[in-house]
Each structure stands twice: as structure tokens, then as C-alpha cells.
Amino acid sequence: KRCPVRTPPLLHCYILNWDPDMTTAKVLLVDDEEAFVISNAKLLSKRGYDVRTALEGRTALQLLAEQEVEVVVLDVKMPGMDGITVLTEIKKRFPLVEVIMLSGQATFEAAVEGINLGAGDYLMKPCQITELVRKIEEAREKRKINEEKRRYLGKTGKDGP
């Protein structure tokens, strides 16, 4: 069966036991390193995640506007629109979307800046798939809590996250 990965042309991923009815986290991988995106999309898809990919920031924002995404895994350093700019736009336009920043050693300070701007967490590259999965699950739980808070506050007429 073909998995639900939405990717640029030629970036495809196949898994054997994908069940279209199962509830999976909807993840968007954003990185200009195509090999990183392809390999991690495959690995996450094999673990049951519904993965979309973007090789640059503008495409990521377009995908977020068109499709439901729970967690964005976002590289800090990209040509054109960098990760910090993309993060700022995500938090302004899609406040419930959780963001995990990816950082190389040279951009650690930018990852910390991302946390200050609303990213839920960060990972240093290269990262192990088990660590990425753990961070995605933590982000997904945080999103569920924020959604519940928003529903509750909406019922009580108070402002929320």
C-alpha cells in the first residue's frame, strides 16, 4: 500500500502495513537537505506517521494552509526563508501547531531563539529516529492539552492559548 506521504515529486515512501483508518500524527518535515527529508519521511512513515515534506519555508507554509498538520519538524538554517522566520509565521497563523526545531552545531543559538519564539523543543542534527519520535510524541501531547484548554476556555468565554 502507498502511505499518505505528501511530498514534492520523486519523494515517495512506501510501507507495508499502513492502515488508512488508524489515527496517526500528522507531521511536516521541513529541511533543505533532501536526503535528510527522504530518509526521515520513510522512517517516520514506517512507524505509522502521516508525513508531509517541504524543502523550503514557503512550501511549508502553503502546506500548513492547505492540510491539517499537528507537528512541524523545522530546520533552523535554510536558504531563502530561514527556520526562525518560518516559525514566526507558523505561530502567528497556526498557533496550535507544535514546532520542533532542528539545529546543527553552528546554529544552536538560533534553536534557543526558536524556543523563545514558541517552538516546543529542538534537536541537534544528526538525530536518532528514536529521539525524533519521542519529541514528536511529546509535541503531540502538548498540542492535545492546548486544544483541550482552548475548548474549555471557549465554553467559559475566557481567552486562552
Side-chain angles (χ1 to χ4, degrees), residues 65-80:
E66 296 169 355
Q67 302 173 20
E68 181 184 349
V69 172
E70 295 172 278
V71 180
V72 173
V73 179
L74 177 64
D75 188 24
V76 171
K77 195 167 181 92
M78 296 185 294

Side-chain angles (χ1 to χ4, degrees), residues 1 3 5 7 16 27 29 41 46 64 69 82-83 98 101 105 116-117 121 130 132-133 139 149 157:
K1 294 180 184 178
C3 73
V5 176
T7 62
L16 299 174
V27 178
L29 294 176
K46 286 180 181 177
L64 285 166
V69 172
D82 71 357
E98 288 298 319
M101 301 298 291
Q105 197 66 19
N116 292 334
L117 291 171
D121 213 333
T130 53
L132 180 56
V133 166
K149 282 183 189 176

Side-chain angles (χ1 to χ4, degrees), residues 45-109:
S45 293
K46 286 180 181 177
R47 286 163 174 77
Y49 290 95
D50 181 355
V51 183
R52 293 151 173 92
T53 63
L55 298 175
E56 53 95 25
R58 292 195 196 290
T59 303
L61 293 172
Q62 182 180 347
L63 285 169
L64 285 166
E66 296 169 355
Q67 302 173 20
E68 181 184 349
V69 172
E70 295 172 278
V71 180
V72 173
V73 179
L74 177 64
D75 188 24
V76 171
K77 195 167 181 92
M78 296 185 294
M81 184 180 271
D82 71 357
I84 297 299
T85 304
V86 175
L87 170 66
T88 303
E89 277 300 305
I90 290 171
K91 287 301 174 183
K92 185 178 359 172
R93 295 169 47 191
F94 315 100
L96 288 177
V97 171
E98 288 298 319
V99 179
I100 300 166
M101 301 298 291
L102 288 172
S103 173
Q105 197 66 19
T107 57
F108 177 76
E109 293 80 14

Side-chain angles (χ1 to χ4, degrees), residues 133-148:
V133 166
R134 186 177 69 77
K135 298 280 188 179
I136 290 170
E137 287 304 313
E138 289 172 359
R140 192 174 185 204
E141 285 303 311
K142 184 177 177 185
R143 179 190 167 106
K144 285 179 187 176
I145 290 167
N146 286 335
E147 286 174 338
E148 289 173 17

